[in-house]
Amino acid sequence: MLHQPRTHEPPPDLQPVRRALLSVFDKTGLVDFARRLAERGIELISTGGTARTLRGAGLAVRDVSELTGFPEILDGRVKTLHPAVHGGLLARRNVPEDLAQLERHGIAPIDLVVVNLYPFEQAVEQAPDDEALAVENIDIGGPTLIRAAAKNFFFTAVVVDPSDYDAVAGELEQHAGALTLATRRRLAQKAFARTAAYDRAIAAYLERRLQPEAPEPLPPRLQIDLPRVQILRYGENPHQRAALYGNPDRFFRQLHGKALSFNNLLDLSAALRLIDEFREADPTCAILKHTNPCGVATADTLAEAYARAFATDRRSPFGGIVVVNRPLDRETAEAIDQIFTEVIIAPDFEEGVLDFLKKKANRRIIQQLRPVQEELDVRSAVGGLLVQEADGPLPPLEALRSSWRVVTRRAPTEAEWRDLDFAWRVVKHVKSNAIVYARDRATLGIGAGQMSRVDASEIAVLKGKREGHDFTGSVVASDAFFPFADGLLAAVESGARAVIQPGGSIRDEEVIQAADAHDVAMVFTGTRHFRH
């Protein structure tokens, strides 16, 4: 049976704050906030290091141990867990029986709690194997104070984030030392969100410790807690509202231009994942549109790489994204500047290049700060979330060749091996069904997102020949196996001399025979790279 509320008067809109309990680990802004409370005549109660900080600033503070009549014990593990504290927090000011009990036991109401927690998340990030350190950074009294005050938000306010200090102090000054119900409710919501995230972090850490040798990559319960960092103008379409959650500033920084849109962020994510395939390669440039690469090339210089990537498909790059794996130089920047480019991404920019690119106000300029290191790929599905291990960047070709298998009579030449490796890295970032033709570490044609693999091949060739490309001596990469020999024969007819594919079809032998009949080298990787 549900616990039913007593019949009483509704909570007041304005609740006076006469007494505040402050107990914080992060003391950012604490003294200024406490001083503004004291100037309103609010009594300050505190613990340990927080009390010492406030006294050091010349503020009058009452120790919690004086309130409870009991000293802090167990090296500070127990200090606020006492009825004199929680009775003062949880008493309903409009229930006479509650107020009578407070008076009988000599307990004074506490109207404001200011608490932030031991830095558990930082502790386990800095020393993930130090379990004793993790345990000591599990806060008990703090979450208990927060939850008690938040539960009683009809009468008690709770502040868990120093960024709220100024607004709370300002409202107290505006309303003669009182806070509105709307503010108390908002602060309570934020407080419960914080304790929920804190508990999730602890649960996730202990779950990892249960299997230290072989941690379960897909946990039995998915814990996701990400801050909203940006309200976007709209989603994929103008009628859809959207926001960005997470910590994107770990991976990239925007240096110029309008705020990134929902679609910009999708394209940017695809670009960063693709270029990470070439992090250790020679100068490489990729051009993307709607998350698909429309041209990729590796060359001796970035300018040459951009020119060859652009030559793959001269129509599609308009309004697209350009990403490079080297500091962007002036020559390449001037070439990119010749057409409208929505987003430019680079790990750095040579002297003067940023000033040159910033001349166009609508262009977004992004600096990649670190490789994309993702453990899980999470996507929405009707009724829940689909979660899989991320399909991360491939290792160097030397490591791959030991696991790949040449299945034809003719093995690839060294030049073909280099192009097969290049094409395989690109095709895993093209929407399925995906076909990529390449030669001399540059794409010649890309077929993306087709229901038929043969259609994907024909589109790749059609687009390449539209640009005047000769496919003779090219290699072709397929993200999944050729189910019939017709897909391979279409590639051969276009001029391909080497093929890379996962293999695994019941008709593999038929496809191999067709390759041998045309003296085509074929490599099976044993790994598929569908991208939906």
Side-chain angles (χ1 to χ4, degrees):
M1 184 174 178
L2 295 178
H3 190 184
Q4 298 294 331
R6 293 171 181 247
T7 302
H8 51 67
E9 295 295 321
D13 179 51
L14 285 174
Q15 174 65 41
V17 176
R18 300 183 179 91
R19 192 171 291 104
L21 171 58
L22 302 91
S23 181
V24 298
F25 184 88
D26 178 3
K27 297 176 176 57
T28 303
L30 173 70
V31 170
D32 288 341
F33 181 52
R35 183 169 286 114
R36 292 174 74 177
L37 298 181
E39 288 170 354
R40 301 298 320 167
I42 297 170
E43 180 185 3
L44 305 181
I45 306 165
S46 192
T47 62
T50 305
R52 287 192 294 274
T53 297
L54 296 176
R55 287 195 182 100
L59 292 168
V61 181
R62 186 181 183 191
D63 284 320
V64 164
S65 58
E66 180 186 342
L67 191 73
T68 63
F70 203 93
E72 294 184 15
I73 62 172
L74 305 182
D75 197 23
R77 283 188 169 201
V78 179
K79 46 195 172 187
T80 59
L81 299 171
H82 195 281
V85 174
H86 289 277
L89 290 176
L90 287 163
R92 295 156 292 189
R93 314 297 200 265
N94 59 353
V95 176
E97 293 89 336
D98 284 10
L99 298 178
Q101 288 184 44
L102 291 187
E103 185 174 359
R104 185 161 60 249
H105 294 288
I107 297 173
I110 298 173
D111 310 300
L112 174 65
V113 168
V114 182
V115 173
N116 54 61
L117 306 177
Y118 294 166
F120 176 83
E121 296 97 331
Q122 294 92 320
V124 298
E125 182 177 352
Q126 292 172 12
D129 297 323
D130 191 338
E131 195 166 39
L133 179 67
V135 168
E136 284 309 309
N137 279 277
I138 296 176
D139 203 325
I140 299 301
T144 308
L145 287 172
I146 290 171
R147 289 178 59 81
K151 171 181 171 120
N152 204 30
F153 71 87
F154 280 171
F155 310 99
T156 307
V158 56
V159 181
V160 298
D161 186 346
S163 69
D164 287 318
Y165 289 170
D166 186 60
V168 170
E171 185 168 305
L172 287 168
E173 291 158 2
Q174 179 183 356
H175 295 296
L179 293 174
T180 65
L181 178 59
T183 292
R184 301 195 302 273
R185 184 182 290 114
R186 177 182 64 80
L187 293 171
Q189 184 278 327
K190 192 168 185 177
F192 279 121
R194 176 63 186 123
T195 57
Y198 197 72
D199 284 343
R200 278 196 294 270
I202 296 168
Y205 171 78
L206 293 175
E207 187 171 67
R208 291 194 299 272
R209 298 293 294 177
L210 291 175
Q211 299 173 312
E213 300 303 321
E216 172 58 56
L218 301 174
R221 189 173 188 86
L222 185 64
Q223 308 283 353
I224 296 178
D225 182 72
L226 300 173
R228 189 181 71 194
V229 296
Q230 185 181 350
I231 296 287
L232 305 175
R233 288 179 61 201
Y234 51 79
E236 278 186 290
N237 301 291
H239 65 277
Q240 296 171 270
R241 289 183 290 182
L244 172 63
Y245 294 81
N247 303 288
D249 55 354
R250 294 176 58 211
F251 300 100
F252 66 87
R253 176 169 56 228
Q254 185 169 358
L255 304 178
H256 176 70
K258 295 187 298 184
L260 292 163
S261 70
F262 186 96
N263 293 333
N264 287 155
L265 287 161
L266 289 176
D267 285 335
L268 183 150
S269 298
L272 293 178
R273 294 182 182 116
L274 190 158
I275 204 65
D276 277 353
E277 300 285 353
F278 300 94
R279 195 161 188 86
E280 304 303 324
D282 290 338
T284 300
C285 176
I287 307 171
L288 293 92
K289 195 77 172 288
H290 300 302
T291 75
N292 273 310
C294 49
V296 185
T298 298
D300 293 333
T301 68
L302 275 185
E304 182 185 356
Y306 172 75
R308 299 183 71 201
F310 182 75
T312 303
D313 178 357
R314 292 177 174 84
R315 294 183 184 180
S316 298
F318 184 86
I321 283 188
V322 173
V323 61
V324 296
N325 70 341
R326 293 283 191 279
L328 189 62
D329 59 84
R330 181 62 177 259
E331 181 182 0
T332 309
E334 289 179 352
I336 295 170
D337 189 61
Q338 292 177 19
I339 69 163
F340 171 59
T341 301
E342 189 91 25
V343 182
I344 299 172
I345 309 167
D348 209 342
F349 299 84
E350 292 188 0
E351 186 176 354
V353 170
L354 270 179
D355 291 336
F356 169 74
L357 293 174
K358 287 180 178 180
K359 292 178 181 178
K360 292 188 177 177
N362 289 339
R363 175 185 288 143
R364 286 110 165 148
I365 303 173
I366 305 296
Q367 182 180 17
Q368 182 177 7
L369 302 178
R370 59 188 292 183
V372 178
Q373 297 170 330
E374 299 170 307
E375 295 180 2
L376 298 179
D377 177 13
V378 182
R379 308 186 204 181
S380 63
V382 174
L385 297 173
L386 288 171
V387 182
Q388 63 178 347
E389 293 179 284
D391 191 7
L394 295 168
L397 174 59
E398 294 73 20
L400 291 169
R401 282 178 70 164
S402 64
S403 61
W404 289 352
R405 184 163 60 99
V406 178
V407 295
T408 48
R409 288 194 297 266
R410 184 174 79 78
T413 66
E414 286 305 309
E416 287 170 343
W417 272 116
R418 185 178 64 173
D419 284 344
L420 289 169
D421 173 64
F422 172 86
W424 188 242
R425 292 174 190 276
V426 175
V427 80
K428 74 189 286 273
H429 295 273
V430 179
K431 290 288 183 71
S432 300
N433 286 318
I435 294 289
V436 170
Y437 285 85
R439 187 179 58 238
D440 298 331
R441 297 187 299 171
T443 50
L444 299 174
I446 298 173
Q450 299 305 305
M451 288 68 76
S452 160
R453 196 158 297 279
V454 174
D455 287 348
S457 181
E458 289 177 350
I459 288 172
V461 173
L462 176 68
K463 295 178 73 173
K465 289 189 173 179
R466 184 187 68 197
E467 301 294 344
H469 298 313
D470 180 0
F471 284 72
T472 303
S474 63
V475 306
V476 64
S478 174
D479 65 330
F481 62 67
F482 286 107
F484 302 97
D486 57 355
L488 179 129
L489 292 173
V492 171
E493 290 170 5
S494 300
R497 298 291 299 147
V499 178
I500 188 166
Q501 59 140 319
S505 168
I506 60 173
R507 295 182 177 84
D508 274 350
E509 192 56 41
E510 176 186 329
V511 177
I512 293 169
Q513 290 175 4
D516 281 336
H518 292 84
D519 195 31
V520 168
M522 187 157 61
V523 174
F524 281 5
T525 66
T527 304
R528 189 182 73 186
H529 288 294
F530 268 170
R531 181 167 171 251
H532 285 92

